[in-house]
Amino acid sequence: MSLISTDLQRAVSYLQQGIPVAIPTETVYGLAAPINQKKAIKAIFSLKNRPLNHPLIVHIAPGWDITKLVRNVSNTAKHLMHHFWPGPLTLVFESGEHIEPLITGHQPTIAIRCPDHPLTQELLKKLNTPLVAPSANPFGKVSPTTAQHVQQSFPEEDLFILDGGRCTVGIESTIVDVTAVSGFNILRHGLLDETRLQQASLVESFTEEKRAIQTPGRLAQHYQPETTLFYFSSYEALNQFCQKNLGQVYVIASKKPEGIKEGFFNPLPSTPAGVAYNLYDSLRQGDKSGAQWLAIELPRTGSEWEGIRERIMKAGTYAS
Ligand code: TXA
Ligand code: MG
């Protein structure tokens, strides 16, 4: 059984020995290994059952020099780093020389982010080496937002889980390609949306021809709970489904449909930040409820909802 602990020194020591450690970030928990520990990186792929061609994000502490990791940094990238690091933003650069190909999935690019979590920042500073960290869940499943979620995600393992409390953002970072001379291209939506990125970088999202960058993580299905999840584009449609299947559905919606028991309902907050904070926890609660199906109301379209909609649409099946 995995150990949940706040012992930073032990986490440092394990990582130095090449043993992967689960770490907290503001988005979701990650399964970390130092970028120069090939054996530990391989162990992460096998723990997660993750295909080897899915590249990993490199995590750095605030203020660290990235020039050894990347080939060049555009002005757009500089603006974005200045405004949003530390924070839930991953930037994809052209990779520098001598980067372990396991990290980049043999691609010419490298993804970097600076997490906004005090414990992990301290860990990085003590280690003095960047960490790769995919989300700490089996491949394709729901990401963990607490140390307990990590423990439940790997029931058979003896992981060391550094406990940094509940993640304040709750969904994975926004991933942005900044390899063009100027401008950016969103590869994975998150809580930091296109409008805010444009305001900070002072450019439109695509100032160059959109490039065919390979992002294997953009699969049609991801973030999946164990129970089948249906999503509905209106509350009325969701309510109809619930009335036909009373007693069998766990509901995540803006209001509780009539006849649904308290233990089978999780309210959907009205803001993107509120939904992000709760989303994965509510899917896990739905899994535990014993319901036959999960049903969720899909928030409306709009830049600020894109990250949430992307998660729900990949986790579930469109019902009506
Ligand atoms: O919030 C987050 O980003 C969390 C925390 C732990 O930092 N990490 C995370 O990692 O979500 P992961 O491995 O679950 O998702 C990383 C995504 C994948 O879709 C991967 O394909 C993409 O990042 N990625 C990594 N390196 C890339 C690269 N060089 N080019 C394009 N996409 C890349
Ligand atoms: Mg993931």
Side-chain angles (χ1 to χ4, degrees), residues 27-105:
T27 56
V28 300
Y29 273 71
L31 197 51
I35 59 164
N36 53 7
Q37 298 258 16
K38 193 170 171 180
K39 231 178 80 193
I41 300 173
K42 275 197 175 152
I44 287 180
F45 278 98
S46 97
L47 275 166
K48 277 184 64 85
N49 202 11
R50 178 178 174 119
L52 283 169
N53 64 348
H54 284 242
L56 305 172
I57 298 174
V58 172
H59 296 62
I60 58 166
W64 279 9
D65 179 17
I66 60 165
T67 51
K68 285 215 174 71
L69 298 171
V70 308
R71 200 174 291 274
N72 53 292
V73 181
S74 70
N75 280 332
T76 305
K78 284 181 190 153
H79 282 300
L80 292 174
M81 285 157 65
H82 176 74
H83 275 86
F84 300 115
W85 279 9
L89 175 68
T90 296
L91 296 177
V92 173
F93 300 90
E94 271 171 39
S95 167
E97 286 166 34
H98 315 301
I99 303 289
E100 166 56 51
L102 265 179
I103 297 175
T104 59

Side-chain angles (χ1 to χ4, degrees), residues 27 30 50 55 57 59 109 111 113 133-135 172-173 175 188 215 217:
T27 56
R50 178 178 174 119
I57 298 174
H59 296 62
T109 56
R113 108 175 182 86
S135 52
E172 302 82 354
S173 60
I175 304 183
R188 177 175 76 186
T215 313

Side-chain angles (χ1 to χ4, degrees), residues 286-299:
D287 269 340
K288 277 199 197 143
S289 72
Q292 196 169 347
W293 296 295
L294 313 184
I296 189 166
E297 193 180 339
L298 186 68

